[in-house]
Amino acid sequence: MASKLFAIIAGVGPGTGASVARRFAQQYPVALLARNPDNYKPIVNEINSSGGKAVGFSADVTDVKSIRNAFEEISKEFGNANLAAAVFNVGGGFVRKPFLEITQEDFDGAVAATSRGTFNFSQSTLPLLLKTASTNPEYPPTLIFTGATASVKGSANFSVFAAGKWAQRAFAQSLAREFGPQGIHVSHAVIDGVIDIPRTKEWKFDAPDAKISPDAIADAYWHLHTQPRTTFTFEIDIRPYVEKW
Amino acid sequence: MASKLFAIIAGVGPGTGASVARRFAQQYPVALLARNPDNYKPIVNEINSSGGKAVGFSADVTDVKSIRNAFEEISKEFGNANLAAAVFNVGGGFVRKPFLEITQEDFDGAVAATSRGTFNFSQSTLPLLLKTASTNPEYPPTLIFTGATASVKGSANFSVFAAGKWAQRAFAQSLAREFGPQGIHVSHAVIDGVIDIPRTKEWKFDAPDAKISPDAIADAYWHLHTQPRTTFTFEIDIRPYVEKW
Amino acid sequence: MASKLFAIIAGVGPGTGASVARRFAQQYPVALLARNPDNYKPIVNEINSSGGKAVGFSADVTDVKSIRNAFEEISKEFGNANLAAAVFNVGGGFVRKPFLEITQEDFDGAVAATSRGTFNFSQSTLPLLLKTASTNPEYPPTLIFTGATASVKGSANFSVFAAGKWAQRAFAQSLAREFGPQGIHVSHAVIDGVIDIPRTKEWKFDAPDAKISPDAIADAYWHLHTQPRTTFTFEIDIRPYVEKW
Amino acid sequence: MASKLFAIIAGVGPGTGASVARRFAQQYPVALLARNPDNYKPIVNEINSSGGKAVGFSADVTDVKSIRNAFEEISKEFGNANLAAAVFNVGGGFVRKPFLEITQEDFDGAVAATSRGTFNFSQSTLPLLLKTASTNPEYPPTLIFTGATASVKGSANFSVFAAGKWAQRAFAQSLAREFGPQGIHVSHAVIDGVIDIPRTKEWKFDAPDAKISPDAIADAYWHLHTQPRTTFTFEIDIRPYVEKW
């Protein structure tokens, strides 16, 4: 049955996205989305050369035309398979500034883009997940959103970043309530800490292992995906053992 | 001193906005904003004819040019006074629909508009409130946002409405943390129930008094405004005694 | 009508309790409870000598016999009046210790005492408040609990203190949902910061006015009491403008 | 290494406790606690007869002497092994009654017992878990609490049950913050729905699979246990796909 299913991961770069892609590729062919092909190419190659199947697609999830095009291409590539899981891991929108220095462009890049990307991705994947639900798959079709500390706390100087992430979490919660009874597992992960990825390599903390493992995030997402529909988790928080919270 | 202060209320129609305007007009001249002059005219006339001072301004808070124009006009009209309080009571954005029927226009009208309106209004008022803070006013300069049940809960079929309101609450929380230490009182009210306004007149409940009094909301906002800076309330919830929650 | 109503404040010492007593005594005769008469005597004298009416009662709210005795005495003293408002401001239970150093006595003094005091006081006052509700009073009968930061956050080393305060907040929330529809206004205040009382006089902060005004807390409680039943606030948070949160 | 580790599960009956015992027994010998030996005997026998190791212990976690005795016996039985994981799954305390009908005995059985059981179990297991942390085990030593809907919501008529569960969650959160930096993984699960156990067999819902799978709860707990310390989840919620929330 697994050969007739596939997964989509949006927001694939050298960090969490790659780990999630690698984890889900153990079970499913994966479609990997990023704006810039340079972001998905290494992990696409890695998966394909190690016996899995991955295809990369260029898409800007904040642009409805771009995401529709990407899903048409995905359909051509994976069209006879059903969507088992979709992960929205698109970062972006990070702005840390005093509020009165924030520009309309900052607002557009944070609030508008994050919420619109969430909206577009959900509208593109949910019809496919619903179709899968009707096929009695081993695991309930799953839609997972990667959140952040700013998804649950509006800290000073994080206004537009938090607004975008709160909007995303509102979508996730509303979708969980609407599509749960239809057999779709919608989850939201609050990633509360620094992830150990190339971009944060130089960030030093007192403890040598103070950064979140992207592979362990991927394991958590995979666990969420395997939960039966009697036993859905909507939200998990994830943080390093030394994190203040 | 009161004569040198004024208040701005955005989102003034025949409901909460009018009550808030009426309450704050007992102490301050008020600038009342609405997209449609028909919305503010009755309360402007009522306040002016009963010994207060009110001026109406047409503005679309979701449009940065429109709100800048409105604040220039406000400055001409109230320029020698300091802003004592600003209330963002703009509704809009209400959409209740299955997620897969929601259009890009619904998204724009709910998420984008609500969050951008919140952003624009905050950017326009906070510099004025900061200036007031330096004048040692009787009550700390105050910025209040009117939220809803959907500000704290993403219910099924409320996705875009909730996303916009969660984004607004994120702004409020972030601004409270940034501007509180500068002496500005930022508050958010979760209005959890049906308000007793002309538009809801025909809505019947088992209890005859099951709807929230807009005048009592206004009293609560006024109480928030009078809190000294040693004793700020960020958030209140408001609901009828019979409300399920 | 005011002459036939009275208020009860439990946990009256030289801080918030005294301020609340003073504020409610402007409208009602007040019954003031404390374990130690030395705690209520000064404010009882102050209120009585300034034209109000106050009577002190010794009671340990964590001891069901003690509180029943106190309410019998209250009934003798105020028996022909109806209970307009009851405020539970009993502190106690503060323990800040590494968890493995906490003793059974610490547990008893924090978790057990705080939750039992909350329970006992609620059971003693709610029947009286229900009776008042049937008399169509000017303001809905009100039951207010004073919470703390630890009511919403379980910080390291605050385990038993937080457990007691969370239990208290659970009671408040459950009672609000059960007795709200019966016309009783149940509220909970999260006091998030240091209150400016004799005991904290020597505590210094960067800002000269970094401590919460107990009189402003009392004003907030009074505002809660005056809300009509169409427009109940369950919870407010209160903190100084400079507080980190 | 696994042979030198063991797990403790408190609150073992024919439901979640048995499933958790079965799951953890796949990796570790398990010590199973219940007040009544009839509750642990079937699962003890099942595990032992299928190649695992389980030992049952009679203990009342709300009684400090009883739990100390039990841990002395555990020490004799498993003393040369380190504690890998401890799960507090003690139910009890369920009371659903109008508040004014609740007795002191109800209070004792719900609030006092639940919070004291949580406290006692934590004080007994944390020193053992700390010792394990120093041995560099494969998985971080773990302490998991089973919560309920009432852990996060104080519904009408659930006052004492909610108060006990909120107190438990406060403990869990405080312990997570204190012992996380010491390498202990403390987690809390909000089980929001009816679990499919013998006691609920007759409870019928519209959907045939509307009850939570205790085995899937056990899988979630096992996943929590396997998280590396860089990537701890403090809280998960678990509910059936058809649950209203």
Side-chain angles (χ1 to χ4, degrees), chain B residues 5-127:
Chain B
L5 294 165
F6 77 112
I8 297 176
I9 294 108
V12 172
T16 312
S19 291
V20 173
R22 202 178 284 118
R23 184 67 189 79
F24 280 70
Q26 291 177 21
Q27 182 96 352
Y28 305 122
V30 291
L32 307 185
L33 276 65
R35 265 195 297 197
N36 183 344
D38 291 345
N39 280 328
Y40 59 68
K41 274 181 185 167
I43 183 69
V44 165
N45 291 339
E46 179 194 321
I47 290 171
N48 286 322
S49 64
S50 60
K53 179 184 172 186
V55 185
F57 299 87
S58 271
D60 176 355
V61 293
T62 70
D63 175 345
V64 67
K65 281 186 193 166
S66 171
I67 196 166
R68 283 183 188 160
N69 284 342
F71 272 76
E72 279 176 28
E73 292 176 52
I74 290 173
S75 173
K76 285 177 201 161
E77 188 73 34
F78 294 91
N80 58 342
N82 286 315
L83 183 60
V87 177
F88 187 81
N89 186 58
V90 177
F94 185 78
V95 178
R96 183 178 186 166
K97 267 192 194 180
F99 180 69
L100 294 176
E101 296 175 16
I102 290 176
T103 63
Q104 293 279 326
E105 290 67 36
D106 289 331
F107 175 89
D108 288 338
V111 188
T114 298
S115 57
R116 194 180 299 273
T118 299
F119 174 70
N120 288 341
F121 186 73
S122 302
Q123 285 218 326
S124 297
T125 54
L126 279 163

Side-chain angles (χ1 to χ4, degrees), chain B residues 148-169:
Chain B
T149 314
S151 302
V152 292
K153 186 169 184 183
S155 297
N157 299 323
F158 282 81
S159 59
V160 284
F161 181 55
K165 297 303 275 184
W166 285 44
Q168 178 180 74
R169 186 167 173 249

Side-chain angles (χ1 to χ4, degrees), chain D residues 45-208:
Chain D
N45 291 338
E46 179 194 321
I47 290 170
N48 286 322
S49 64
S50 60
K53 179 184 172 187
V55 186
F57 300 88
S58 270
D60 176 354
V61 294
T62 70
D63 175 345
V64 67
K65 282 186 191 164
S66 172
I67 196 166
R68 283 183 187 161
N69 285 342
F71 271 77
E72 279 177 25
E73 292 177 53
I74 291 173
S75 173
K76 287 177 198 157
E77 188 73 34
F78 294 91
N80 59 343
N82 285 317
L83 183 60
V87 177
F88 187 81
N89 184 58
V90 178
F94 185 78
V95 178
R96 183 178 186 166
K97 265 190 194 180
F99 180 70
L100 294 176
E101 296 174 16
I102 291 176
T103 63
Q104 292 279 328
E105 290 66 37
D106 290 329
F107 175 89
D108 288 340
V111 187
T114 299
S115 58
R116 195 180 298 275
T118 300
F119 174 69
N120 288 340
F121 186 75
S122 302
Q123 284 218 324
S124 296
T125 53
L126 279 163
L128 305 179
L129 295 166
L130 284 172
K131 190 174 155 231
T132 309
S134 67
T135 66
N136 194 24
E138 182 181 2
Y139 303 127
T142 303
L143 174 57
I144 298 175
F145 297 93
T146 300
T149 315
S151 302
V152 291
K153 186 169 182 182
S155 296
N157 299 324
F158 282 82
S159 59
V160 285
F161 181 55
K165 297 303 275 183
W166 284 45
Q168 178 180 74
R169 187 168 174 248
F171 272 117
Q173 204 182 84
S174 178
L175 297 176
R177 288 192 169 102
E178 181 176 349
F179 292 94
Q182 300 178 64
I184 312 296
H185 187 179
V186 180
S187 278
H188 181 262
V190 177
I191 310 297
D192 181 24
V194 172
I195 305 176
D196 189 14
I197 56 177
R199 187 169 58 80
T200 63
K201 192 159 248 168
E202 300 306 313
W203 304 11
K204 298 296 180 199
F205 295 87
D206 287 344

